[in-house]
């Protein structure tokens, strides 16, 4: 009796060892895993390797044999069904392939191979709402599949029928929406596609955020489509802010800084911190403050884009400084955003310590190669040695006004 018990125990121990060894090797060494015991995962792995290696030239008979063996070992093994579906598709039996893939999806909603296949198949059939259900499930659980389905999913934005289903899904704000809108926003070959998608989401429960809109505006600006970028930005401004448009929008920093180019873009750089603070000039409201840590920094990380027509203008602002130490100080510079990026004007330097003080500079916007202009706060350094900055400075009431053309210019 004791020997029988020991024999059963030894058999169980061996079975545990064999199962453990086989399972641990199934993915990285399926052949060795199968030497220990029949293992459905190892069989499926061999089928995957064959498909990856041989593609449409794979031996479909072998694929079916591996899948059938996996099903005998584990009858509910859903990957075996998509292996059979792949074999059917390669052999030209589309109906059987779809039936098997759909059955695999019913058994496992998390299988990325099945979800990807059904997404493509339903997309080809024009069943966009159903296809998007698989894309959504796939991107929620496996964000690394973006590269696999991204091109087809991006094409949805260019298809009016697909767009309707896409907009409904994006309006629900799935976790991958930011990635998708960023990628669509970069497609400037036909900026109307991105505009239509952003517009469709504008009045929904989750309108595009500044972070989602920014890549699209940046792409338009990078392509020299300044007017379209500006109109798109205005279109997405809340109605109350559209009433407060100025040549230098939000120059009083009373509105939250969005980071969009026609508002204020605040970049991050080691050695400087840029933030809005209260109070501002006059003892109320807000202002912008830049604090330096005493290290070298090529600071030009506060800027905005303006759309000034050709003409004569004045930049004016209030500034203050607290122990600001630098060889040449901080200046506000206006420069063209295209062509040779011509510099149009710079304010007197901000340096030292002083309370709020007015600064201004007049400048002319030329008729050519200057449809848009950057207004940038920067360290006016000519060499790296002049980039060392310490202390802080604050600014408020930044405004641009149009002036009559000087008499001497008008006479030319």
């Amino acid at each position: 009796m004791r020997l029988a018990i020991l024999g059963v125990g030894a058999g169980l121990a061996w079975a545990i060892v064999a199962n453990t060894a086989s399972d641990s090797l199934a993915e990285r060494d399926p052949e060795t895993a199968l030497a220990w015991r029949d293992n459905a995962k190892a069989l499926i792995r061999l089928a995957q390797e064959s498909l990856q290696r041989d593609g449409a030239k794979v031996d479909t008979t072998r694929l079916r044999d591996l899948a059938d063996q996996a099903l005998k070992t584990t009858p509910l093994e859903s990957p075996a069904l998509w292996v059979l579906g792949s074999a059917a598709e390669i052999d030209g039996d589309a109906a059987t392939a779809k039936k098997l893939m759909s059955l695999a999806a019913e058994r496992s909603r998390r299988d990325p191979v099945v979800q990807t296949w059904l997404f493509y198949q339903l997309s080809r059939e024009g069943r966009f709402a159903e296809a998007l259900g698989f894309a959504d499930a796939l991107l929620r659980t496996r964000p690394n599949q973006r590269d696999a389905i991204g091109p087809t999913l991006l094409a949805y934005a260019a298809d009016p029928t697909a767009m309707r289903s896409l907009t409904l899904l994006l309006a629900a704000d799935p976790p991958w929406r930011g990635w998708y809108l960023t990628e669509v926003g970069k497609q400037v070959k036909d900026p109307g596609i991105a505009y239509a998608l952003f517009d469709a989401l504008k009045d929904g429960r989750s309108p595009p955020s500044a972070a989602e809109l920014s890549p699209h505006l940046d792409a338009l600006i990078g392509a020299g489509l300044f007017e379209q970028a500006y109109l798109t930005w205005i279109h997405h401004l809340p109605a109350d802010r559209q009433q407060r448009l100025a040549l230098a929008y939000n120059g009083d920093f009373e509105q939250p800084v969005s980071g969009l180019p026609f508002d204020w873009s605040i970049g991050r750089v080691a050695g400087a911190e840029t933030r809005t603070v209260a109070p501002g000039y006059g003892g109320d409201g807000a202002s912008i403050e830049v604090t330096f840590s005493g290290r070298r920094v090529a600071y030009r990380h506060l800027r905005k884009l303006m759309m000034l027509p050709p003409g004569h203008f004045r930049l004016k602002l209030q500034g203050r400084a607290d122990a600001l130490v630098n060889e040449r100080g901080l200046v506000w510079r206006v420069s063209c955003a295209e062509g040779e990026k011509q510099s149009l004007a710079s304010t007197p330097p901000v340096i030292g310590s002083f309370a709020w003080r007015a600064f201004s500079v007049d400048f002319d916007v030329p008729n050519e190669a200057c449809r848009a202009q950057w207004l940038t706060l920067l360290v006016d350094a000519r060499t790296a040695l002049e980039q060392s900055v310490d202390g802080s400075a604050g600014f408020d009431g930044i405004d641009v006004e149009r002036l009559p053309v000087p008499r001497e210019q008008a006479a030319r």
Side-chain angles (χ1 to χ4, degrees):
M1 182 68 174
R2 185 179 178 185
L3 289 175
I5 292 173
L6 288 173
V8 171
L12 288 173
W14 174 252
I16 291 171
V17 170
N19 289 341
T20 301
S22 183
D23 288 341
S24 66
L25 292 168
E27 284 294 322
R28 67 177 187 274
D29 190 356
E31 295 281 6
T32 303
L34 290 171
W36 284 93
R37 69 171 178 87
D38 283 343
N39 185 304
K41 287 184 173 58
L43 292 163
I44 297 303
R45 182 59 183 160
L46 286 176
Q48 280 183 304
E49 289 177 352
S50 295
L51 280 165
Q52 291 169 354
R53 183 180 61 251
D54 302 325
K57 296 180 180 180
V58 71
D59 183 347
T60 53
T61 299
R62 182 169 185 268
L63 285 184
R64 290 191 179 88
D65 289 343
L66 290 169
D68 289 341
Q69 192 176 345
L71 287 171
K72 290 176 183 176
T73 303
T74 309
L76 298 179
E77 186 70 21
S78 64
L81 295 174
W82 67 249
V83 171
L84 291 172
S86 297
E89 182 179 38
I90 291 168
D91 285 343
D93 189 349
T96 299
K98 185 176 179 182
K99 181 178 179 180
L100 288 165
M101 290 294 189
S102 298
L103 183 58
E106 290 176 7
R107 291 195 180 182
S108 175
R109 291 287 179 180
R110 289 180 171 272
D111 191 315
V113 175
V114 177
Q115 289 171 332
T116 301
W117 191 93
L118 287 170
F119 165 71
Y120 282 126
Q121 179 61 31
L122 292 168
S123 295
R124 285 193 292 267
E125 295 175 6
R127 296 163 62 182
F128 301 116
E130 294 173 70
L132 284 169
F134 286 103
D136 183 40
L138 188 63
L139 292 174
R140 285 175 183 270
T141 57
R142 295 177 181 267
N144 61 340
Q145 290 296 108
R146 291 171 179 174
D147 291 342
I149 69 171
T152 298
L153 192 58
L154 289 172
Y156 272 47
D159 187 308
T161 305
M163 251 275 279
R164 286 192 286 271
S165 298
L166 176 65
T167 302
L168 287 174
L169 179 55
L170 292 177
D173 199 16
W176 47 270
R177 187 177 97 154
W179 158 78
Y180 186 80
L181 291 180
T182 295
E183 293 303 309
V184 170
K186 292 177 181 177
Q187 307 301 315
V188 294
K189 291 181 180 179
D190 186 358
I193 292 173
Y195 184 91
L197 179 57
F198 283 109
D199 186 56
L201 295 171
K202 176 178 176 289
D203 297 320
R205 57 182 176 176
S206 297
S209 66
E212 291 170 337
L213 194 59
S214 182
H216 179 44
L217 297 181
D218 289 343
L220 291 173
I221 291 166
L225 301 174
F226 301 108
E227 294 84 359
Q228 186 155 344
Y230 184 63
L231 292 174
T232 299
W233 171 69
I234 292 176
H235 184 61
H236 286 272
L237 272 180
D240 62 321
R241 297 189 193 178
Q242 290 183 15
Q243 305 303 315
R244 303 184 62 181
L245 285 176
L247 295 180
Y249 173 79
N250 200 17
D252 56 7
F253 301 98
E254 297 305 303
Q255 301 296 330
V257 173
S258 67
L260 296 177
F262 296 102
D263 185 0
W264 291 101
S265 298
I266 300 178
R268 293 185 177 183
V269 61
E273 180 185 12
T274 309
R275 60 193 181 109
T276 54
V277 296
Y281 172 69
D284 57 7
S287 62
I288 198 81
E289 181 180 79
V290 187
T291 303
F292 298 94
S293 64
R295 62 190 296 179
R296 289 182 185 177
V297 53
Y299 185 84
R300 49 178 61 243
H301 292 72
L302 174 62
R303 66 178 189 164
K304 69 155 49 264
L305 194 62
M306 304 182 294
M307 296 291 293
L308 305 177
H312 191 53
F313 297 88
R314 175 173 294 155
L315 167 66
K316 55 185 181 179
L317 56 98
Q318 296 292 329
R320 61 172 177 80
D322 183 11
L324 186 70
V325 180
N326 177 257
E327 289 288 329
R328 293 170 56 82
L330 288 173
V331 300
W332 285 94
R333 181 163 296 161
V334 181
S335 56
C336 297
E338 60 179 328
E340 299 296 323
K341 309 293 193 297
Q342 176 186 354
S343 177
L344 303 180
S346 295
T347 62
V350 175
I351 194 167
S353 296
F354 54 87
W356 289 108
R357 178 192 302 173
F359 289 78
S360 68
V361 64
D362 292 359
F363 62 95
D364 295 301
V365 174
N367 291 316
E368 297 181 357
C370 201
R371 290 172 296 147
Q373 307 80 31
W374 284 110
L375 173 59
T376 308
L377 177 66
L378 54 89
V379 174
D380 191 24
R382 297 164 298 186
T383 66
L385 290 174
E386 295 177 341
Q387 291 176 350
S388 179
V389 197
D390 200 2
S392 66
F395 302 95
D396 199 1
I398 301 170
D399 191 22
V400 172
E401 61 177 342
R402 187 161 192 171
L403 302 175
V405 177
R407 189 172 298 174
E408 59 273 16
Q409 289 187 23
R412 292 175 188 171

